[in-house]
Amino acid sequence: MAATMSESRRVGFVGAGRMAEAIAQGLIRAGKVEAKQVLASAPTDKNLCHFRALGCQTTHSNHEVLQNCPLVIFATKPQVLPAVLAEVAPVVTTEHIIVSVAAGISLSSIEELLPPNTRVMRVSPNLPCVVQEGAMVMTRGHHAGNDDAKLLQNLLEACGQCIEVPESYVDIHTGLSGSGVAFGTAKMLQQEGKHPAQLRTDVLTPAGTTIHGLHALEQGGFRAATMSAVEAATCRAKELSKK
């Protein structure tokens, strides 16, 4: 049975980094979920303190998130996602909607690590979700239905624009929009009061897509290098999907 909006008001996050925080903050600001209905997990308190500041519940147990939330967003680093999925697989049921925001990890790779018939979706978000100006694409796995897609889209539209696309488009979006925010975004600088260098730091992951794009910027003039930056970030997303 597909989850209804009322059943999925409780939203879980496995991984509590900047992107998870941005999505959670967007959902809460838009009134899609109450802060107390959000449960986030991470190995240490380093990032969980940001969730607590929002009024969310936190835990160090990934299993606890799955056991309490029907919709769970996995926002770990791509290189650790397979191990995390293998860890939680015993408590994943067909009642869950599993959403990954990890760059480069395909739906088929996720589904292989989880029980048969698990409803899986991928989302490529970007940091302006925090000010409801995100640009996101989502794609669904073999067992996620129309109701699941509508539910997730309804939630994520609290963070900006969200459309469903074929999975082949997701890596392109990662390079253009997911990493692209680090190359400059005015509304976040205005509303969040951050220095541009801090915004860049927020979306940089070691060996990730954005840092490859920034390296391309440093190799040439800005105007021409902007195109190279998007291309480099997209290529890196594709490389990650092959690992």
Side-chain angles (χ1 to χ4, degrees):
M1 178 185 297
T4 66
M5 180 61 72
S6 60
E7 289 172 337
S8 293
R9 282 293 187 185
R10 193 160 177 77
V11 177
F13 288 87
V14 174
R18 189 66 178 105
M19 188 57 69
E21 181 192 350
I23 296 173
Q25 191 165 336
L27 293 176
I28 293 165
R29 282 182 173 180
K32 291 290 184 178
V33 295
E34 295 181 35
K36 64 183 181 181
Q37 293 297 97
V38 174
L39 176 60
S41 66
T44 69
D45 287 334
K46 178 182 178 182
N47 292 323
L48 290 178
C49 62
H50 300 297
F51 275 80
R52 293 187 192 121
L54 291 173
C56 304
Q57 299 184 35
T58 62
T59 177
H60 295 304
S61 169
N62 296 333
H63 279 211
E64 184 178 345
V65 175
L66 271 294
Q67 289 164 345
N68 286 277
C69 303
L71 189 149
V72 181
I73 297 172
F74 284 76
T76 67
K77 292 182 173 63
Q79 57 266 36
V80 303
L81 180 61
V84 172
L85 290 174
E87 176 210 338
V88 302
V91 293
V92 172
T93 73
T94 55
E95 298 302 310
H96 285 107
I97 299 175
I98 302 299
V99 181
S100 168
V101 300
I105 308 296
S106 68
L107 286 167
S108 61
S109 296
I110 296 169
E111 289 173 335
E112 287 174 4
L113 291 165
L114 297 173
N117 301 318
T118 301
R119 292 178 286 166
V120 175
M121 303 194 73
R122 281 183 68 192
V123 174
S124 176
N126 59 5
L127 204 55
C129 289
V130 75
V131 289
Q132 289 85 53
E133 292 291 342
M136 296 159 284
V137 295
M138 66 180 196
T139 188
R140 70 175 94 166
H142 291 97
H143 308 293
N146 290 335
D147 288 344
D148 303 322
K150 289 177 182 177
L151 171 62
L152 182 62
Q153 188 172 26
N154 182 280
L155 284 174
L156 292 180
E157 282 179 345
C159 304
Q161 296 181 351
C162 181
I163 61 171
E164 185 173 0
V165 298
E167 187 172 20
S168 59
Y169 291 10
V170 173
D171 288 340
I172 297 171
H173 180 271
T174 299
L176 177 62
S177 187
S179 299
V181 64
F183 314 141
T185 225
K187 187 167 183 178
M188 284 197 65
L189 295 175
Q190 291 175 344
Q191 291 196 8
E192 296 294 297
K194 291 186 176 182
H195 189 279
Q198 180 60 47
L199 178 61
R200 180 182 66 179
T201 300
D202 284 342
V203 295
L204 282 178
T205 299
T209 61
T210 308
I211 200 166
H212 275 66
L214 288 177
H215 178 68
L217 281 176
E218 294 171 358
Q219 290 181 325
F222 179 79
R223 193 178 296 271
T226 298
M227 293 183 288
S228 296
V230 172
E231 182 180 4
T234 300
C235 290
R236 180 55 179 165
K238 291 180 178 178
E239 289 171 5
L240 289 171
S241 68
K242 295 175 183 178
K243 291 184 178 180

